[in-house]
């Protein structure tokens, strides 16, 4: 019989955590360094102490429960911050499950050759920076990101001051890669695949890379009543045609990849004026860097083929992150020992594992998200699936330890 977590204790903790920053519609709101976020972090350390575990807070504000053993550390983690008006499960499930794994190992008196650490990474969701804590641990917090963080400089400076963190010392949170035995994260899928296929556990093969561009189409504005259809260079029509053609291109030529035009604005923007300009926000994702290169070339060619001028401004560039094969095998083995079904799948969303993968063998397992809904108060995972995930996390951690 494989060892199992204490499902009742896990549930009591999950419910207690869900009450911190709870919103009226059943979700949570815990943006980085808000009162609710700090209360959740304090609660986490308190629960760790109550279980007889050690605690630590590093120079990037990452909060940890530690079960000390060998010199090397196997990290199990996720995040307690949330998006505004978020759900209870995103991040939180991974942290309470990691804590429960440490308690289960501690209670069973198992002597492991590695230290186990349940870690709550700072600012995963990007209220301030995004993956702030995990990039710091990996030693790769980009200075240009801190100079122009997505939440703005003022919010970053004020947030760090609020919790007594020094920007100049964030990098001190770096861990020596030789000290890390690996990184494992349980997370909800945030997509519909596992539920649709009736699969218990998703084994994450990698985290997709993404590229984003601002496109500006320039035609000619003119009178909407007096300019004949054949005489127009309508930037709006060109942009709309591009949106549809881009979708068709990716659906036909790039199975498993996604492309999105998330924003489109016509100028000057009036009933009676032909749009002279159209601005688009283009983003596409793939698990394969060569595929990203190919999509970029084809999509930008397509933008240039709409009969108007196009200007292209690169905005974001995230490399795809393959996850470790040995960790995937450990997850597969742990699930099989529990009689749970598995499926390999990529993660379309970013996670702390993409930062850790550069310095330690890293992996993730997903449990089903009801309706694929996430970043919403309607986010839900059946409790049985949460327990399954925690048990697989425990089994995989023991295998890797
Ligand atoms: Zn998350």
């Amino acid at each position: 019989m494989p060892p199992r977590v204490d499902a009742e204790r896990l549930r009591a903790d999950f419910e207690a955590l869900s009450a911190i920053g709870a919103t009226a519609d059943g979700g949570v709101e815990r943006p980085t360094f808000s009162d609710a976020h700090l209360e959740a972090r304090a609660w986490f350390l308190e629960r760790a102490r109550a279980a007889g575990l050690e605690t630590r807070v590093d120079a990037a504000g990452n909060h940890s429960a530690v079960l000390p053993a060998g010199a090397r550390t196997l990290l199990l983690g996720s995040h307690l911050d949330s998006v505004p008006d978020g759900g209870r499960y995103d991040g939180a499930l991974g942290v309470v499950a990691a804590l429960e794994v440490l308690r289960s190992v501690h209670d069973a008196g198992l002597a492991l050759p590695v230290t186990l650490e349940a870690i709550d990474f700072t600012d995963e969701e990007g209220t301030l920076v995004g993956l702030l804590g995990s990039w710091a641990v990996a030693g790769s917090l980009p200075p240009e990101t801190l100079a122009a963080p997505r939440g703005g400089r003022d919010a970053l400076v004020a947030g760090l001051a609020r919790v007594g963190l020094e920007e100049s010392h964030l990098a001190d949170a770096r861990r020596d890669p030789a000290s890390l035995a690996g990184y494992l994260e349980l997370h909800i899928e945030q997509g519909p695949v596992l539920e649709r296929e009736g699969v218990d556990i998703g084994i994450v093969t990698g985290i997709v890379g993404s590229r984003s561009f601002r496109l500006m189409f320039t035609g000619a504005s003119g009178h909407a009543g007096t300019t004949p259809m054949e005489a127009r260079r309508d930037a709006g029509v060109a942009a709309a045609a591009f949106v549809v053609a881009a979708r068709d291109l990716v659906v036909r030529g790039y199975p498993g990849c996604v492309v999105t035009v998330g924003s489109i604005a016509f100028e000057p923007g009036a009933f009676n004026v032909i749009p002279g300009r159209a601005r688009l926000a283009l983003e596409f994702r793939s698990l394969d860097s060569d595929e990203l290169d190919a999509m970029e070339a084809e999509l930008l060619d397509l933008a240039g083929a709409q009969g108007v001028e196009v200007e292209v401004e690169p905005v974001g560039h995230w490399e795809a992150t393959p996850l470790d094969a040995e960790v995937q095998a450990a997850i597969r083995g742990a699930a099989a020992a529990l009689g749970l079904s598995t499926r390999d799948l990529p993660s379309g969303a970013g996670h702390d594992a993409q930062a850790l993968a550069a310095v330690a063998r890293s992996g993730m397992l997903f449990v089903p998200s009801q309706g694929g809904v996430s970043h919403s108060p309607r986010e839900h995972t059946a409790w049985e699936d949460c327990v399954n995930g925690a048990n697989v996390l425990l089994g995989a951690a023991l295998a890797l330890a």
Side-chain angles (χ1 to χ4, degrees):
M1 270 278 283
R4 289 168 198 255
V5 300
D6 181 336
E8 287 308 311
R9 183 169 59 185
L10 178 67
R11 177 149 215 173
D13 271 358
F14 185 74
E15 295 295 334
L17 176 59
S18 299
I20 302 174
T23 54
D25 44 12
V28 297
E29 177 143 325
R30 292 195 295 256
T32 302
F33 302 151
S34 62
D35 286 346
H37 180 229
L38 299 183
E39 189 183 336
R41 305 192 103 178
W43 172 88
F44 171 59
L45 292 193
E46 182 47 45
R47 293 301 294 152
R49 281 187 217 105
L53 301 168
E54 294 181 8
T55 61
R56 67 175 273 182
V57 178
D58 71 16
N62 296 310
H63 280 44
S64 297
V66 184
L67 179 57
R72 298 173 77 221
T73 298
L74 179 63
L75 294 171
L76 311 176
S78 202
H79 58 97
L80 292 177
D81 67 322
S82 83
V83 295
D85 202 22
R88 298 169 150 213
Y89 298 84
D90 181 352
L93 176 63
V95 174
V96 291
L99 173 64
E100 180 54 34
V101 165
L102 266 62
R103 285 189 301 217
S104 299
V105 171
H106 188 46
D107 292 355
L110 297 174
L112 298 184
V114 301
T115 293
L116 287 184
E117 179 173 337
I119 185 164
D120 157 34
F121 286 112
T122 300
D123 191 41
E124 193 272 349
E125 294 286 9
T127 307
L128 303 176
V129 175
L131 306 187
L132 173 62
S134 50
W135 284 123
V137 165
S140 49
L141 193 57
E144 61 275 17
T145 301
L146 289 177
R150 59 187 255 174
R153 271 299 294 174
D154 292 351
L156 177 60
V157 170
L160 294 175
R162 181 150 205 252
V163 293
L165 291 176
E166 300 275 353
E167 187 174 348
S168 57
H169 288 297
L170 291 174
D172 297 348
R174 177 184 177 272
R175 308 278 184 101
D176 177 359
S179 74
L180 298 175
Y183 175 68
L184 253 180
E185 178 168 357
L186 165 64
H187 204 282
I188 57 168
E189 183 196 344
Q190 303 180 281
V193 175
L194 296 175
E195 184 189 52
R196 204 170 58 203
E197 297 184 359
V199 172
D200 300 314
I201 299 290
I203 301 169
V204 184
T205 52
I207 298 171
V208 299
S210 74
R211 297 193 190 167
S212 52
F213 294 86
R214 274 190 204 97
L215 303 182
M216 186 165 72
F217 286 26
T218 304
S221 61
H223 195 293
T226 59
T227 314
M229 294 306 281
E230 69 279 7
R232 298 184 178 201
R233 287 179 64 239
D234 185 327
V237 169
F242 170 73
V243 172
V244 176
R247 180 186 185 284
D248 289 348
L249 174 86
V250 171
V251 168
R252 269 188 281 104
Y254 296 90
C257 301
V258 291
V259 62
T260 305
V261 175
S263 165
I264 186 163
F266 295 164
E267 296 173 15
F271 282 99
N272 56 358
V273 185
I274 297 162
R277 286 180 196 269
R279 296 174 194 274
L280 286 76
L282 170 70
E283 190 217 62
F284 47 95
R285 304 188 186 203
S286 166
L287 202 52
D288 182 288
S289 293
D290 293 339
E291 204 165 44
L292 283 170
D293 287 342
M295 282 168 94
E296 176 176 327
E298 283 211 68
L299 286 166
L300 296 185
D301 275 355
L302 194 60
Q306 301 305 321
V308 295
E309 277 154 43
V310 59
E311 280 171 53
V312 176
E313 181 194 345
V315 177
H317 189 116
W318 290 89
E319 286 304 332
T321 308
L323 293 175
D324 185 82
E326 193 183 354
V327 178
Q328 292 179 47
I331 296 167
R332 194 171 290 113
L338 292 158
L340 299 171
S341 57
T342 60
R343 177 203 206 279
D344 290 356
L345 81 178
S347 171
H351 294 288
D352 292 307
Q354 77 197 63
L356 272 299
V359 291
R361 55 181 181 163
S362 297
M364 294 187 76
L365 61 133
F366 283 166
V367 288
S369 293
Q370 202 171 83
V373 176
S374 183
H375 284 187
S376 157
R378 291 184 298 113
E379 184 178 277
H380 184 79
T381 292
W383 183 247
E384 186 190 352
D385 289 326
C386 296
V387 175
N388 286 343
N391 279 322
V392 174
L393 185 69
L394 171 62
L398 293 176
L400 292 171

